């Protein structure tokens, strides 16, 4: 119902929503495992991260600067990385880089959808000094996030190999 009510900046808003849905569909089809149960769980997971990003965007939307895009993106990535890390402690589950990429794609789609639903007031943005210091200079960088995701991936697969060896599985 809300999509039909869009009256201002229609091209931007519809474009962002269509881009989010298109990217999500393409990624979902490309990433499909061919196992209906697994594919269904991953699609629900995709929607979950999109909604988390929408909520983060709504929190930082009133700031009115570029941080309303950067902070939801970083917060979503932090939640996704934490979730993959927690899977180490659940028997039979492992964190996986494929899941991290799914999370990041869902976060980007969620951010695009959020902009379509509640666009920023102005087109140009600059990071405020305080936000730039927290995010850009001394905070989390893409390199740090990818490094942490790689550590999750390596540790998860090392644990999986150990479990197979303990169960008498194939030796690598």
């Amino acid at each position: 119902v809300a999509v039909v009510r869009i009256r201002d900046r229609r091209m931007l808003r519809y474009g962002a929503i269509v881009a989010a849905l298109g990217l999500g569909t393409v990624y979902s089809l490309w990433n499909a495992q061919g196992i209906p149960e697994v594919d269904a769980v991953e699609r629900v997971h995709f929607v979950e991260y999109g909604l988390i990003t929408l909520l983060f965007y709504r929190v930082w939307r009133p700031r009115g600067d570029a941080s309303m895009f950067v902070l939801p993106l970083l917060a979503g990535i932090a939640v996704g990385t934490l979730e993959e890390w927690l899977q180490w402690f659940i028997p039979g589950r492992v964190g996986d880089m494929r899941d991290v990429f799914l999370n990041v794609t869902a976060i980007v789609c969620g951010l695009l959808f959020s902009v379509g639903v509640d666009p920023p007031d102005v087109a140009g943005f600059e990071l405020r000094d305080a936000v730039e210091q927290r995010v850009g200079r001394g905070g989390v960088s893409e390199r740090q996030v990818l490094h942490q995701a790689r550590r999750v991936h390596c540790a998860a697969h090392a644990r999986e190999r150990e479990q197979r060896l303990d169960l008498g599985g194939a030796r690598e």
Side-chain angles (χ1 to χ4, degrees), residues 62-104:
R63 297 181 70 97
D65 63 3
S67 67
M68 70 181 174
F69 304 116
V70 174
L71 295 175
L73 181 70
L74 293 176
I77 290 170
V79 169
T81 303
L82 178 64
E83 180 186 15
E84 295 304 315
W85 176 75
L86 287 172
Q87 287 184 22
W88 292 350
F89 304 106
I90 301 171
R93 298 286 311 260
V94 293
D96 192 5
M97 281 301 291
R98 200 170 128 286
D99 291 341
V100 172
F101 291 128
L102 174 99
N103 296 345
V104 171

Side-chain angles (χ1 to χ4, degrees), residues 38-143:
V38 173
D39 292 343
V41 167
E42 289 193 351
R43 287 183 181 124
V44 168
H45 198 100
F46 198 93
V47 171
E48 170 190 354
Y49 274 88
L51 290 174
I52 286 171
T53 305
L54 174 67
L55 294 174
F56 282 135
Y57 176 79
R58 290 189 56 138
V59 167
W60 284 301
R61 164 72 175 78
R63 297 181 70 97
D65 63 3
S67 67
M68 70 181 174
F69 304 116
V70 174
L71 295 175
L73 181 70
L74 293 176
I77 290 170
V79 169
T81 303
L82 178 64
E83 180 186 15
E84 295 304 315
W85 176 75
L86 287 172
Q87 287 184 22
W88 292 350
F89 304 106
I90 301 171
R93 298 286 311 260
V94 293
D96 192 5
M97 281 301 291
R98 200 170 128 286
D99 291 341
V100 172
F101 291 128
L102 174 99
N103 296 345
V104 171
T105 305
I107 291 163
V108 169
C109 289
L111 200 52
L112 285 169
F113 187 83
S114 300
V115 168
V117 171
D118 187 15
D121 294 328
V122 292
F125 298 102
E126 293 181 14
L127 286 175
R128 293 181 184 158
D129 290 337
V131 174
E132 187 175 88
Q133 288 174 358
R134 280 197 313 264
V135 176
R137 293 187 192 140
V140 178
S141 70
E142 293 91 3
R143 176 179 282 166

